[in-house]
Amino acid sequence: MPPSRDDESTAPSALRKGAACLQCRKRKMRCDAGQPHCANCVKGKKGLSLVQLYNHHLSHSKADCQYAAGRAKTKTQLLREKIQDLESKIRALEQHSSARHASSPGESSSSSPNNGSSGDQDDAEFPSPVSEFRAVLGVPASGSSSSASAAVSSTGPDFDLSQSSDLYNPELFSIWGPPPAIDPSFSPVGSSAKWWERPEPPPDIRNYLVNVFLGRSDDFHFYLNKPRFLLSLDFPPPECPHPSLMNAIYLLGAHFTNSPEWTVHEPMFLARARESLLASLAHSDRLFDFLMASNLVAYYLYRTGRFLEGHHQTAGASRFAVRQVDPHSSSSSSLIDVTHSCGLHQIISPVLDDQQLGDVAARGARASAPWSVSDMSVRRPGSMLPPPRDGLEQGQRIIVFWQTYLLDKLGSAVTSLPGSLPDEADPLTEILTAWPRTLDEYERGDVRPDENATIRNLYEPYYSKTIRRRRETLQGLQAQITALHERASRLSPTYLADTSPQARAIFWQKFQDVEKAIANFSGQLPGLRCSGLMGEIPPTSTTDPINTVIFVTHTLAHLAVIQLHNSLAADVPTSYETCLKSAREILRLATALGPGDYARMAMEVILSYAWTISAQVLIRHQRNLNRRYEDATQVEHELDLIVQAMENLRGTYPVVEFQLQKVADWRRT
């Protein structure tokens, strides 16, 4: 018979520590430590039918009212036991993975050190972190039957990496020739080599990944003096590139192969790049390499759909390009706590004159102001970066700054988060750096002091006719339209924020300035099929492939028009029509892309964003037509074409699935 409430009151008020039954401890209930069953466990069985009681006994008899033998374990002991249990499971998984890689290629697909692609039951039970990573991105796991068979066939004795159809076209490496020959008997994922366990890849792997990267680097404005860079690979530190830069290059090189044998190593290279970035900051070691590596990691994160991580990485790189960090802090948040300027945002002249070159040592010794900066910057302490040794290094810093600017502004647009580099700011933070030229021009000294136009000049009347001395580089054009897009995106919402006459007058003045600047810019863009770093005119043939950098620039120009007029579309009929016209222009550009153009695209993040905005404009027009009971067949067809273009990005940018789902939801509602 269960004890009464009076009996419970006579029980001791406190038990010896560890005397309570396991069930009461789990439920955090007061226990009387009754034997063989405590009062709580007995009460828990009241009210059950005989059948329920029997079933309860079968399922809980081993757990109910059990007492720990001996003294209860402390929380520390329990945590240590948990850690030991997890470590034993990790060792078991490692042994399982080693056993799988030790097997012959005919028995299992050893396409990576940890991809879990053998296809056994154990692999399904213990999915690897890499397979989970690829699943998040929407990429088929390398352990699928199709990729497993591909891995077996591609790592056979006759496999040549440079001839694999899955890799980027080796003909695009013509400047340096084909990638270095790799021994056909050497497999990058072979169980005998295990190169991924070494701190640095062996020369064959290093050279291959570097060449794959260099074949695509111009597409996202990462320009290097390639002969100088390749020669420096075998130099001793600190003359060689910093490990952070090399691991970032390996990361994108593996990513651009689009082959499971290489892409499976992306998490490893990303982890190494991040670790090396912290080491570079901690020791103030090759900080310009740190900035370049930060940009590459941010670009990779955006490209793989990890937008918040990409924005965080870009914010750090942007602040570092403008400001100094605490070199003794190992946290990336130190990038925000700034004390000194690096001066990259105020390189007002592309020319490094003889007086500057002769004064490099003196300025470095007294830690004076950064090289070629504005008068306001001269008042600050010196840059963390040493002065450039020649015009090529000066140009390299200008180019890297604008690459940082592009990542900051375009990443801000995609994530709807604020950027880190202001366009309109106080004299200490205003961007004054001249638009970038090509590295060859900097190296030859083919730049002039009067080629110092920057963001502020975009809004001057007749800028394209009076300020520009020659055609802009493609990086310069993309930086300019990015600045115009960012200004339009910030200005348009202010139309609804303040409706007072004075505020509206200020708004319309700024609106007209931006609208004219976009029109002036669009009027001097080269054609889609123009080649080279400056869009050389004319193209050799109308059947030439589309220049993807120029394509993205044209798309951004029309997108900037939409962003400028979008907030006015409900009140101003001309703005409504302007948005619709620009959306259709973006669609017209998209329909010109062929399969080869999609394969060479490097800015899918921006294209998917622009196409999503265009679809939103067309859906708004379709709803208005439906309200007026007018024919919306043409708009429906146009939306189908945009969806088709976005679907064509799936091969290289799986994250587009999110935008596709968003467009589908809009069309349904």
Side-chain angles (χ1 to χ4, degrees):
M1 180 177 179
S4 65
R5 196 172 296 271
D6 294 334
D7 294 331
E8 289 180 15
S9 62
T10 61
S13 59
L15 293 175
R16 178 178 57 85
K17 185 174 181 180
C21 75
L22 299 179
Q23 195 71 5
C24 287
R25 277 197 244 170
K26 181 178 179 181
R27 297 177 180 176
K28 299 187 184 299
M29 298 174 65
R30 189 182 186 87
C31 183
D32 64 355
Q35 297 289 344
H37 302 288
C38 73
N40 290 330
C41 291
V42 172
K43 287 180 182 178
K45 297 177 184 178
K46 277 188 175 182
L48 299 179
S49 65
L50 291 177
V51 175
Q52 291 173 329
L53 189 60
Y54 177 72
N55 292 335
H56 181 86
H57 170 74
L58 290 179
S59 59
H60 294 82
S61 58
K62 293 184 179 181
D64 282 357
C65 224
Q66 297 292 312
Y67 292 89
R71 187 174 181 179
K73 297 179 180 179
T74 64
K75 289 185 178 180
T76 302
Q77 290 173 323
L78 293 174
L79 288 174
R80 285 176 178 170
E81 288 183 358
K82 183 65 175 177
I83 292 173
Q84 292 173 356
D85 180 57
L86 291 174
E87 288 176 343
S88 64
K89 289 181 179 179
I90 291 173
R91 285 193 296 270
L93 287 173
E94 289 175 346
Q95 292 172 359
H96 175 75
S97 177
S98 300
R100 185 168 69 250
H101 290 303
S103 61
S104 64
E107 295 173 1
S108 66
S109 170
S110 57
S111 62
S112 77
N114 59 350
N115 67 342
S117 59
S118 67
D120 335 277
Q121 235 173 355
D122 292 337
D123 289 334
E125 186 177 357
F126 301 108
S128 71
V130 176
S131 62
E132 293 176 357
F133 170 82
R134 297 179 65 83
V136 170
L137 296 182
V139 181
S142 58
S144 62
S145 58
S146 59
S147 60
S149 60
V152 174
S153 62
S154 63
T155 55
D158 299 327
F159 176 65
D160 184 358
L161 285 170
S162 64
Q163 302 300 322
S164 172
S165 60
D166 291 333
L167 305 182
Y168 192 73
N169 186 357
E171 293 179 1
L172 296 179
F173 307 142
S174 56
I175 299 178
W176 269 253
I182 296 179
D183 184 359
S185 63
F186 177 79
S187 170
V189 293
S191 58
S192 60
K194 291 189 178 180
W195 59 267
W196 53 84
E197 296 180 355
R198 309 178 192 176
E200 288 290 328
D204 288 343
I205 299 295
R206 181 198 71 182
N207 295 340
Y208 181 76
L209 292 176
V210 166
N211 274 271
V212 172
F213 170 82
L214 293 179
R216 295 292 299 271
S217 59
D218 288 357
D219 294 341
F220 49 94
H221 305 302
F222 189 86
Y223 303 111
L224 288 169
N225 183 288
K226 297 180 181 180
R228 181 184 289 191
F229 173 75
L230 292 173
L231 286 174
S232 70
L233 293 181
D234 296 317
F235 289 171
E239 299 302 320
C240 64
H242 191 271
S244 60
L245 179 58
M246 293 307 301
N247 280 297
I249 288 174
Y250 300 149
L251 170 66
L252 282 170
H255 178 73
F256 284 136
T257 63
N258 200 29
S259 175
E261 289 82 8
W262 295 100
T263 57
V264 73
H265 299 294
E266 290 175 22
M268 174 190 70
F269 287 131
L270 177 60
R272 290 182 178 181
R274 284 173 159 166
E275 183 178 356
S276 301
L277 285 170
L278 292 178
S280 175
L281 274 184
H283 301 287
S284 298
D285 183 14
R286 287 163 279 183
L287 292 175
F288 190 64
D289 287 359
F290 163 85
L291 181 57
M292 292 191 290
S294 297
N295 287 341
L296 292 180
V297 170
Y299 172 74
Y300 169 80
L301 293 171
Y302 281 128
R303 187 178 171 87
T304 53
R306 300 162 70 169
F307 298 131
L308 293 180
E309 292 178 79
H311 182 268
H312 176 73
Q313 187 76 35
T314 305
S318 300
R319 291 184 173 96
F320 180 80
V322 176
R323 300 163 173 136
Q324 186 178 13
V325 303
D326 178 8
H328 302 292
S329 173
S330 61
S331 170
S332 60
S333 64
S334 64
L335 293 167
I336 301 174
D337 301 326
V338 300
T339 55
H340 303 86
S341 169
C342 278
L344 291 182
H345 65 307
Q346 293 187 344
I347 308 177
I348 59 176
S349 173
V351 177
L352 192 67
D353 57 36
D354 295 337
Q355 181 179 357
Q356 289 173 305
L357 286 172
D359 198 32
V360 162
R363 283 186 287 114
R366 67 174 182 264
S368 64
W371 17 263
S372 292
V373 298
S374 67
D375 292 338
M376 291 302 298
S377 274
V378 171
R379 301 174 188 172
R380 307 182 200 167
S383 169
M384 290 186 73
L385 302 176
R389 293 173 294 182
D390 51 32
L392 179 60
E393 285 195 4
Q394 172 95 335
Q396 181 80 59
R397 297 184 183 192
I398 293 174
I399 287 173
V400 169
F401 169 77
W402 285 112
Q403 182 196 50
T404 307
Y405 179 87
L406 286 170
L407 287 169
D408 178 66
K409 296 304 181 186
L410 296 178
S412 175
V414 171
T415 60
S416 299
L417 295 171
S420 301
L421 294 174
D423 286 347
E424 299 171 305
D426 63 84
L428 292 178
T429 58
E430 182 184 9
I431 294 174
L432 301 176
T433 298
W435 298 124
R437 304 302 304 174
T438 67
L439 276 179
D440 287 342
E441 290 173 328
Y442 291 119
E443 188 172 20
R444 297 194 310 266
D446 187 17
V447 288
R448 298 188 292 271
D450 59 352
E451 290 182 317
N452 58 358
T454 186
I455 290 178
R456 61 166 63 164
N457 301 111
L458 286 174
Y459 306 99
E460 296 177 359
Y462 312 110
Y463 164 65
S464 59
K465 296 181 180 179
T466 59
I467 303 296
R468 287 191 177 95
R469 307 300 181 188
R470 48 183 168 176
R471 289 199 310 274
E472 298 283 2
T473 65
L474 296 189
Q475 185 189 21
L477 290 175
Q478 205 157 88
Q480 290 172 23
I481 190 55
T482 300
L484 291 170
H485 173 272
E486 195 269 346
R487 184 74 64 89
S489 300
R490 280 193 293 113
L491 177 62
S492 184
T494 63
Y495 173 77
L496 303 174
D498 190 346
T499 59
S500 65
Q502 183 179 4
R504 281 292 170 88
I506 296 174
F507 169 83
W508 284 116
Q509 182 59 52
K510 292 182 178 179
F511 180 91
Q512 291 173 3
D513 291 342
V514 177
E515 188 176 40
K516 289 178 182 178
I518 295 174
N520 289 339
F521 172 85
S522 301
Q524 49 91 38
L525 282 177
L528 292 180
R529 300 183 188 276
C530 295
S531 59
L533 295 179
M534 290 185 288
E536 285 76 3
I537 301 172
T540 56
S541 170
T542 56
T543 60
D544 282 353
I546 287 176
N547 187 318
T548 56
V549 177
I550 299 178
F551 179 89
V552 172
T553 306
H554 275 271
T555 301
L556 278 172
H558 294 296
L559 182 62
V561 174
I562 293 177
Q563 298 287 31
L564 181 63
H565 287 267
N566 205 32
S567 295
L568 289 70
D571 297 338
V572 183
T574 54
S575 290
Y576 180 93
E577 293 298 328
T578 300
C579 289
L580 184 60
K581 179 181 178 181
S582 296
R584 284 173 168 160
E585 283 297 313
I586 291 176
L587 173 60
R588 181 186 62 81
L589 290 171
T591 56
L593 292 173
D597 301 319
Y598 283 102
R600 291 180 291 104
M601 195 65 65
M603 300 293 286
E604 298 94 336
V605 180
I606 301 304
L607 286 185
S608 63
Y609 167 72
W611 292 346
T612 303
I613 299 297
S614 301
Q616 192 175 26
V617 172
L618 291 172
I619 290 171
R620 178 175 63 191
H621 183 55
Q622 181 189 39
R623 290 174 179 172
N624 289 335
L625 292 177
N626 291 335
R627 290 191 189 101
R628 299 194 298 263
Y629 300 99
E630 297 181 14
D631 185 17
T633 305
Q634 178 186 352
V635 182
E636 189 70 25
H637 176 63
E638 291 168 339
L639 286 169
D640 290 339
L641 291 177
I642 285 186
V643 169
Q644 181 60 51
M646 295 174 72
E647 288 177 344
N648 290 336
L649 290 178
R650 280 174 169 164
T652 56
Y653 184 59
V655 188
V656 76
E657 196 69 43
F658 172 74
Q659 279 94 347
L660 282 168
Q661 185 60 49
K662 184 183 293 186
V663 172
D665 292 341
W666 289 341
R667 296 180 75 176
R668 279 196 300 268
T669 57

